[in-house]
Amino acid sequence: MAAVVISSPALAKEVLQKQDLAFSTRSIPDALHAKEQYKYSVVWLPVSDQWCSLRKIMASNMFSGNA
């Protein structure tokens, strides 16, 4: 399993606003199946209504400037 480390705000914006579909629907490690944690994360969900809703919440919180 590979990890992606985003090291700057500019890169995070690029990945999360312009490349988000490329990072969706990743293979799910066995460890996440134990408690079904994959069902509640933008990282592991396939593109769906739930994924879109979580993605909107994440984007509005991360890019609002109220950090």
Side-chain angles (χ1 to χ4, degrees), residues 45-60:
L45 285 171
V47 177
S48 62
D49 289 340
Q50 183 182 9
W51 182 87
C52 290
S53 295
L54 290 173
R55 175 70 182 83
K56 281 182 188 178
I57 292 167
M58 182 179 71
S60 68

Side-chain angles (χ1 to χ4, degrees), residues 6-28:
I6 300 173
S7 58
S8 72
L11 186 55
K13 187 172 186 175
E14 170 71 22
V15 169
L16 295 172
Q17 288 186 336
K18 299 178 183 172
Q19 304 296 328
D20 56 347
L21 289 177
F23 287 96
S24 68
T25 317
R26 297 172 49 179
S27 60
I28 302 167

Side-chain angles (χ1 to χ4, degrees), residues 2 9 11 28 32 36 38 41 44 47-48 55 60 62 64-65:
L11 186 55
I28 302 167
L32 294 178
E36 298 185 346
Y38 66 93
S41 173
W44 309 112
V47 177
S48 62
R55 175 70 182 83
S60 68
M62 289 185 73
S64 68

